[in-house]
Amino acid sequence: GNSVTQMEGPVTLSEEAFLTINCTYTATGYPSLFWYVQYPGEGLQLLLKATKADDKGSNKGFEATYRKETTSFHLEKGSVQVSDSAVYFCALSKTGANNLFFGTGTRLTVIP
Amino acid sequence: DTAVSQTPKYLVTQMGNDKSIKCEQNLGHDTMYWYKQDSKKFLKIMFSYNNKELIINETVPNRFSPKSPDKAHLNLHINSLELGDSAVYFCASSRRGEDYGYTFGSGTRLTVV
């Protein structure tokens, strides 16, 4: 079946620290992979995506590379800001499946 | 203009009541969804509709009934509300067969007392 496993949170970092949130997946075939972000009190927003192996998705200083050999899609940012404090969700979809499978979410808190 | 709008944003109601949550998207997407987010932030799909046709119906009590009058609307009606229904419910939409991800509404926080 299809599933996503994310690192447990919460994660607390100081401003300008390096961020990594691990995500691995299980899927048949070639899924598309996504990172969504949920700011306090808001809905989920698409942060970045990658649709095939070795693609790198990037947005707002965040990056993630689709690694088929390790079935991973780890989220990274070189220097986090207080405004990055949110819950981050890794997700996968299969073309035509009409369903996004989400990880459990990782809460990030960035302190000044 | 809000792409996916849900109403109400907050809903507090007593056990046993019947309530509805409305969702509308103005993106021209063919597919709409309802997700439930529990207190631990875990997201689970409930329903998926494509052009008013039910595509996915996960293991959800039949007290939950989605209704799609047209492809821009997907409402969620809940009968005989229970304490365990308290959660945040998210509506989302997407284009069918494309991997652009989903656009989510801002959520409806349902509290059953």
Side-chain angles (χ1 to χ4, degrees):
Chain A
N2 301 308
S3 67
V4 175
T5 302
Q6 274 182 250
M7 66 183 285
E8 292 282 333
V11 174
T12 302
L13 295 173
S14 297
E15 209 165 19
E16 300 183 4
F18 185 85
L19 168 71
T20 299
I21 301 178
N22 289 339
C23 171
T24 57
Y25 67 90
T26 302
T28 55
Y30 304 96
S32 294
L33 302 172
F34 305 86
W35 277 100
Y36 280 82
V37 58
Q38 184 179 24
Y39 298 105
E42 298 184 14
L44 280 77
Q45 302 174 26
L46 179 63
L47 180 59
L48 53 84
K49 69 178 178 77
T51 57
K52 60 183 187 297
D54 300 324
D55 268 2
K56 178 185 282 188
S58 61
N59 186 24
K60 300 182 181 179
F62 291 89
E63 292 183 340
T65 301
Y66 190 142
R67 302 281 188 206
K68 189 171 184 299
E69 63 276 13
T70 54
T71 61
S72 65
F73 193 55
H74 304 321
L75 182 68
E76 296 182 337
K77 186 173 185 180
S79 176
V80 293
Q81 306 300 313
V82 172
S83 57
D84 293 328
S85 298
V87 181
Y88 291 82
F89 292 90
C90 186
L92 73 82
S93 76
K94 298 290 297 295
T95 301
N98 292 117
N99 189 4
L100 263 182
F101 297 89
F102 284 94
T104 51
T106 302
R107 182 180 297 279
L108 169 67
T109 302
V110 181
I111 55 177
Chain B
D1 288 339
T2 303
V4 179
S5 59
Q6 293 180 231
T7 54
K9 191 170 176 65
Y10 300 97
L11 183 54
V12 180
T13 188
Q14 291 187 326
M15 276 197 312
N17 284 350
D18 303 337
K19 291 293 179 185
S20 292
I21 307 172
K22 295 185 177 181
C23 179
E24 176 182 5
Q25 55 96 3
N26 61 7
L27 299 166
H29 288 169
D30 297 316
T31 308
M32 296 184 72
Y33 314 81
W34 278 108
Y35 277 82
K36 179 179 180 180
Q37 186 176 46
D38 63 23
S39 59
K40 296 184 178 180
K41 298 293 188 183
F42 184 69
L43 276 158
K44 185 173 170 59
I45 192 166
M46 301 173 68
F47 302 103
S48 167
Y49 267 74
N50 178 260
N51 279 325
K52 304 192 297 176
E53 178 186 351
L54 180 65
I55 302 297
I56 292 176
N57 182 353
E58 290 296 305
T59 309
V60 176
N62 57 15
R63 298 181 295 104
F64 291 78
S65 54
K67 286 187 171 48
S68 182
D70 55 62
K71 74 173 191 177
H73 296 83
L74 181 61
N75 304 322
L76 184 64
H77 189 76
I78 316 170
N79 290 327
S80 304
L81 278 154
E82 300 177 357
L83 293 177
D85 297 332
S86 296
V88 181
Y89 292 85
F90 286 100
C91 179
S93 71
S94 72
R95 295 175 185 156
R96 182 177 172 85
E98 294 178 351
D99 297 316
Y100 293 135
Y102 297 4
T103 303
F104 282 81
S106 56
T108 297
R109 181 176 294 277
L110 171 66
T111 304
V112 182
V113 298

